[in-house]
Amino acid sequence: MNLIVKLSTLSVAMLLLFSCSTAPQKKPPEKAGVNLQKEFSQAQIDSAAGGKAKADTRLKKIVHSHPTTDVASDANMMMGKIYYEAREFANAYTAFIAIVNSEVFSPSEGEALLWASRSLMRLGRADEALSLTQKSAKIPGLS
């Protein structure tokens, strides 16, 4: 009887130990300044007006110059969607996966995983797409 209690206690302790996430937490994003927010808004206007190349240039500038801001993940998401619509699936995947791999938290990470999976499917990389889809199913609130 005493052995059963010890084994049960050990099992519970091991379960708790190994089920805890040891992955590093992502950093919170920095708040973008007014000028950066205006630049992003202008990229949205350019894109809506059909100026995808102009929007892409603005978005790349935002991502490269201010990668730790809250606007950077929005810029990557927008770039990815522009590339996806243009059927540039490799570029779309790169933009979406940058959000996922960033050291900065983004509320768009789950959506970016799904778009990255879609892009991989269009590239004929079904196994990788399935892996990303399974990863996205583990994100709370997404599945």
Side-chain angles (χ1 to χ4, degrees):
M1 181 76 152
N2 197 11
L3 179 62
I4 294 173
V5 172
K6 286 182 181 179
L7 286 176
S8 296
T9 304
L10 179 63
S11 296
V12 169
M14 289 181 66
L15 180 64
L16 290 174
L17 178 68
F18 292 117
S19 67
C20 294
S21 176
T22 57
Q25 294 290 321
K26 291 189 173 199
K27 294 187 264 185
E30 298 169 9
K31 181 75 176 142
V34 175
N35 289 338
L36 188 58
Q37 290 174 355
K38 285 182 181 178
E39 185 74 12
F40 181 71
S41 293
Q42 189 59 54
Q44 290 175 309
I45 292 167
D46 291 341
S47 178
K52 305 290 186 189
K54 196 171 184 179
D56 184 56
T57 300
R58 288 182 193 276
L59 296 168
K60 283 180 181 175
K61 181 180 172 187
I62 291 169
V63 169
H64 293 296
S65 301
H66 306 280
T68 58
T69 62
D70 52 357
V71 174
S73 70
D74 294 336
N76 264 321
M77 184 64 75
M78 189 173 172
M79 268 195 306
K81 289 180 179 180
I82 288 171
Y83 290 138
Y84 192 90
E85 289 174 10
R87 304 183 60 78
E88 295 178 27
F89 301 118
N91 289 336
Y93 170 78
T94 300
F96 294 129
I97 208 68
I99 297 168
V100 176
N101 292 337
S102 174
E103 62 186 30
V104 178
F105 171 78
S106 171
S108 303
E109 186 172 340
E111 183 182 2
L113 273 169
L114 294 174
W115 277 100
S117 294
R118 288 178 179 172
S119 300
L120 287 172
M121 284 298 295
R122 294 295 195 140
L123 291 167
R125 295 162 56 183
D127 289 343
E128 291 173 81
L130 178 60
S131 176
L132 280 185
T133 303
Q134 290 169 338
K135 183 176 180 179
S136 68
K138 294 177 184 176
I139 295 177
L142 189 63
S143 56

